[in-house]
């Protein structure tokens, strides 16, 4: 009989070199990380990117272009508004191009600069940083937070925890509301929220995304980067010896040890590292960069700011921990030549793919007609004879105005001699509107022998002849 899950041991026995048995833990309980607050050049850049990305995220749904939300992915009506352009399901190819550009852009950037995306602009990093700011503002810096968590439960602890989590929840709800505002007009969503008429669908996604933000940024934090994010696992496949990474200069820093400021530490056989562990205390994922590059490192450079601050206090040169490359660290070329190594085969390959994809996409957008036409034949009666002995085929034209202006469209047909279009040959459509137009094509029988004959429907905007779409169809004769 198989064992129950709770009966399976989580430890194993390992045989040491001396023959003794050693019990090895297969599972270690998570230890909460308390990142220390740090200031410095790279921290200023992180703060800048937090504000820029969140200004875009929270502000863009409220920006109007042509009296319509600048960014709105209206899944219900299958219309996607992007900075004045309207995309329909038929334009799926542009989403494919966007995904390709994003993927190869990330690959190229990782090859050049390592995990700079993770350290400065990834939503998980950004929201974790914001939640840490709230935590520091309410509970204090690292030492105060550790002391508070280790203290027995009392009124002060309850009050501070309640304030912190309340602010987290409010921020997460605001984030969830904004996220849903990209898929439902945010002004209408705000009115529904104030009048307590929010739909169950919208409410579910607001709460779902708020819960994800609260859980990931407030509780899981570095565990998302270490265990859930696939990027951390396959990033090494895009690294090479010329990729910019955060590194500890072991040659300069070892041997580590404490010393008095101004002492002749080199005579004592010590390096520049005073073993203060500040680089570990400020790390949001809790690693020691002095142990070498680790997959958990998100490249945020907090350790660089912390180490530079200590070096300044000790009157040592900065750069014990710095952005560099493996080859530069091994003195294969001077660090001033790092930028010259950008133009290497892998980067050039990514650049070519990105350039081609971007070029084709831009040209396609420039040539894109803001009117869509689909043609369906009447399949009940393929061909019938009408008065005067003419042969007639019936069609339905689905015409959609994919622009933000009202247009009047004319409908013409050509392809067979003496061909006549019967029915509505002109239609006016409001912005992003669509309509079915029923038309019939009549042809003298001598020009439409048995079988199919290729014809064309031409739909043209009266006020803009450049907006012309030609769609092929077939006429069945007998």
């Amino acid at each position: 009989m198989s064992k129950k899950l709770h009966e399976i041991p989580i430890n194993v026995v390992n045989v040491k070199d001396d023959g003794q048995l050693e019990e090895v833990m297969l599972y270690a309980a998570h230890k909460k990380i308390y990142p220390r607050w740090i200031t410095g050049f790279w921290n200023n850049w992180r703060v800048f990117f937090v504000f820029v990305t969140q200004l875009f995220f929270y502000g863009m749904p409220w920006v109007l272009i042509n009296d319509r939300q600048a960014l709105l992915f209206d899944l219900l009506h299958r219309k996607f508004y992007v900075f004045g352009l309207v995309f329909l399901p038929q334009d799926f190819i542009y989403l494919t191009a966007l995904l390709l550009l994003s993927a190869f852009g990330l690959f190229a950037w990782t090859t050049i600069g390592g995990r700079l995306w993770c350290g400065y602009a990834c939503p998980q990093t950004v929201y974790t940083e914001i939640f840490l700011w709230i935590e520091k503002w309410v509970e204090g810096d690292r030492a105060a937070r550790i002391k508070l968590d280790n203290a027995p439960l009392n009124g002060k602890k309850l009050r501070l925890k309640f304030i912190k989590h309340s602010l987290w929840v409010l921020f997460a709800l605001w984030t969830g509301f904004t996220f849903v505002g990209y898929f439902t007009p945010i002004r209408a969503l705000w009115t529904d929220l104030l009048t307590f008429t929010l739909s169950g669908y919208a409410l579910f996604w607001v709460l779902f995304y708020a819960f994800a933000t609260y859980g990931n940024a407030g509780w899981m934090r570095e565990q998302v980067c270490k265990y859930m994010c696939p990027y951390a696992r396959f990033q090494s496949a895009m690294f090479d010896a010329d990729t910019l990474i955060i590194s500890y200069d072991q040659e300069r820093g070892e041997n580590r040890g404490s010393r008095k400021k101004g002492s002749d530490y080199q005579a004592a056989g010590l390096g520049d590292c005073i073993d203060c562990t500040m680089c570990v205390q400020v790390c949001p994922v809790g690693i020691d960069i002095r142990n070498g590059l680790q997959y958990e490192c998100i490249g945020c450079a907090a350790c660089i700011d912390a180490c530079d601050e200590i070096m300044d206090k000790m009157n040592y040169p900065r750069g014990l921990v710095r952005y560099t490359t493996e080859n530069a660290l091994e003195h294969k070329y001077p660090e001033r030549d790092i930028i010259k190594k950008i133009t290497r085969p892998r980067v050039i390959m990514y650049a070519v793919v990105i350039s081609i994809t971007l070029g084709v996409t831009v040209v396609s957008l420039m040539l894109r007609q803001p009117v869509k036409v689909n043609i369906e034949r009447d399949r009940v009666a393929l061909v019938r004879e009408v008065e005067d002995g003419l042969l007639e085929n019936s069609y339905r034209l689905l015409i959609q105005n994919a622009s933000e202006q009202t247009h009047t469209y004319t409908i013409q047909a050509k392809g067979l001699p003496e061909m006549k279009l019967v029915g509505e040959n002109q239609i006016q459509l409001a912005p992003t509107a669509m309509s079915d137009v029923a038309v019939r094509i009549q042809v003298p029988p001598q020009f439409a022998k048995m079988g199919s004959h290729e014809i064309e429907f031409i739909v043209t905007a009266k006020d803009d002849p450049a907006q012309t779409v030609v769609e092929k169809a077939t006429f069945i004769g007998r």
Side-chain angles (χ1 to χ4, degrees):
M1 184 181 294
S2 60
K3 293 185 178 181
K4 295 180 179 179
L5 183 60
H6 69 271
E7 294 176 346
I8 298 176
I10 62 171
N11 298 349
V12 296
V13 176
N14 181 44
V15 181
K16 299 170 68 176
D17 293 338
D18 57 5
Q20 295 184 354
L21 298 181
E22 175 189 34
E23 189 176 31
V24 179
M25 290 284 293
L26 291 182
Y27 172 78
H30 172 254
K31 294 181 180 180
K32 184 176 179 180
I33 296 174
Y34 298 87
R36 188 183 189 121
W37 179 256
I38 188 67
T39 59
F41 176 81
W42 299 109
N43 179 73
N44 293 339
W45 274 110
R46 286 199 307 278
V47 172
F48 170 77
F49 278 104
V50 168
F51 278 102
V52 168
T53 55
Q54 299 318 291
L55 182 63
F56 180 90
F57 175 74
Y58 294 107
M60 191 51 63
W62 299 95
V63 176
L64 298 179
I65 295 179
N66 297 327
D67 295 324
R68 197 186 300 275
Q69 199 167 309
L71 271 179
L72 177 62
F73 309 104
D74 192 347
L75 298 178
L76 181 63
H77 299 99
R78 295 179 296 177
K79 297 176 183 177
F80 310 97
Y81 305 94
V82 181
F83 303 122
L85 296 176
V86 183
F87 294 96
L88 305 171
Q90 302 95 308
D91 298 314
F92 185 80
I93 187 65
Y94 294 110
L95 175 61
T96 304
L98 177 62
L99 293 177
L100 282 173
L101 288 171
S102 300
F104 281 104
L106 183 62
F107 297 161
W109 188 247
T110 302
T111 302
I112 297 169
R115 295 185 68 178
L116 291 179
W117 160 259
C118 293
Y120 295 89
C122 173
Q124 176 64 22
T125 300
V126 167
Y127 288 120
T128 298
E129 190 81 4
I130 294 172
F131 274 50
L132 282 171
W133 292 350
I134 295 173
E135 188 172 72
K136 177 182 179 296
W137 180 63
V138 175
E139 296 182 355
D141 203 1
R142 182 174 187 271
R145 298 201 303 273
I146 294 175
K147 182 179 179 181
L148 181 68
D149 283 355
N150 291 334
L153 191 63
N154 53 36
K156 178 182 177 182
K157 186 173 183 176
L158 280 173
R159 176 174 56 83
L160 293 178
K161 293 294 183 183
F162 176 78
I163 293 173
K164 180 184 75 172
H165 286 281
S166 297
L167 292 174
W168 280 0
V169 169
L170 287 174
F171 184 84
L173 288 171
W174 180 31
T175 304
F177 172 81
T178 302
F179 176 77
V180 175
Y182 279 94
F183 301 90
T184 301
I186 199 166
R187 285 170 170 78
L189 195 67
W190 178 249
T191 301
D192 292 345
L193 181 66
L194 294 180
T195 56
F196 301 100
T197 57
L198 204 63
S199 69
Y201 172 83
L203 181 61
F204 169 80
W205 285 109
V206 168
L207 295 178
F208 179 85
Y209 198 77
F211 174 76
T213 304
Y214 173 76
N216 289 346
W219 290 92
M220 299 184 70
R221 294 183 179 175
E222 78 286 347
Q223 297 179 75
V224 174
C225 303
K226 292 167 68 173
Y227 306 119
M228 297 173 63
C229 178
Y231 182 51
R233 300 292 179 173
F234 68 74
Q235 59 162 330
S236 59
M238 292 173 280
F239 279 25
D240 57 33
D242 292 311
T243 297
L244 198 65
I245 56 176
I246 296 177
S247 300
Y248 164 70
D249 192 339
Q250 192 171 28
E251 181 180 315
R252 174 185 158 189
E254 301 297 323
N255 292 311
R256 311 172 196 168
S258 59
R259 78 292 304 269
K260 292 182 179 180
K261 182 178 179 180
S263 64
D264 188 2
Y265 63 95
Q266 293 178 337
L270 297 176
D272 284 0
C273 179
I274 67 172
D275 205 18
C276 62
T277 72
M278 281 291 293
C279 57
V280 181
Q281 295 180 38
V282 299
C283 181
V285 294
I287 65 170
D288 188 342
I289 195 63
R290 297 173 298 178
N291 294 334
L293 182 65
Q294 298 143 71
Y295 81 88
E296 296 94 339
C297 177
I298 61 172
C300 68
C303 54
I304 297 180
D305 283 334
C307 188
D308 284 348
E309 185 177 303
I310 297 299
M311 293 296 102
D312 290 344
K313 291 179 179 179
M314 297 298 294
N315 292 325
Y316 297 166
R318 288 187 168 198
L320 179 60
V321 179
R322 63 185 183 274
Y323 277 116
T324 186
T325 68
E326 182 181 337
N327 281 337
L329 202 61
E330 294 175 357
H331 307 294
K332 294 183 178 179
Y333 53 76
E335 293 196 346
R336 64 176 178 271
D337 291 341
I338 288 177
I339 195 167
K340 297 179 182 178
K341 299 298 179 179
I342 292 178
T343 54
R344 52 192 189 271
R346 182 183 296 190
V347 178
I348 293 174
M349 180 193 69
Y350 287 139
V352 169
V353 174
I354 292 170
S355 299
I356 293 174
T357 306
L358 183 60
V360 171
T361 304
V362 170
V363 171
S364 176
L365 281 172
M366 292 174 65
L367 299 177
R368 174 178 176 263
Q369 291 290 357
V371 54
K372 307 293 182 183
V373 180
N374 287 326
I375 301 174
E376 293 183 4
R377 291 184 50 85
D378 182 356
R379 300 189 182 280
V380 177
L382 294 179
V383 58
R384 56 181 169 270
E385 186 173 335
V386 295
E387 57 185 23
D388 301 328
L390 297 176
L391 299 181
E392 182 181 88
N393 286 193
S394 298
Y395 304 86
R396 288 178 60 249
L397 275 63
L398 179 63
I399 303 176
Q400 185 162 21
N401 177 9
S403 72
E404 292 279 24
Q405 292 81 35
T406 299
H407 290 290
T408 298
Y409 299 98
T410 60
I411 304 171
Q412 297 175 304
K414 67 177 185 178
L416 292 173
E418 299 184 25
M419 187 169 69
K420 182 170 60 174
L421 185 146
V422 180
E424 193 173 6
N425 64 357
Q426 185 170 293
I427 184 174
Q428 186 180 70
L429 291 178
T432 72
M434 69 173 65
S435 179
D436 275 337
V437 181
V439 298
R440 304 188 306 278
I441 299 295
Q442 295 178 353
V443 180
Q446 64 268 28
F447 300 121
K449 302 297 184 182
M450 183 175 293
S452 63
H453 305 268
E454 187 175 287
I455 63 173
E456 293 178 341
F457 284 96
I458 305 166
V459 179
T460 305
K462 292 183 67 175
D463 59 338
D464 185 7
Q467 293 188 32
T468 299
V469 174
V470 179
E471 285 290 329
K472 293 182 178 181
T474 57
F475 184 93
I476 306 298
R478 69 179 180 186

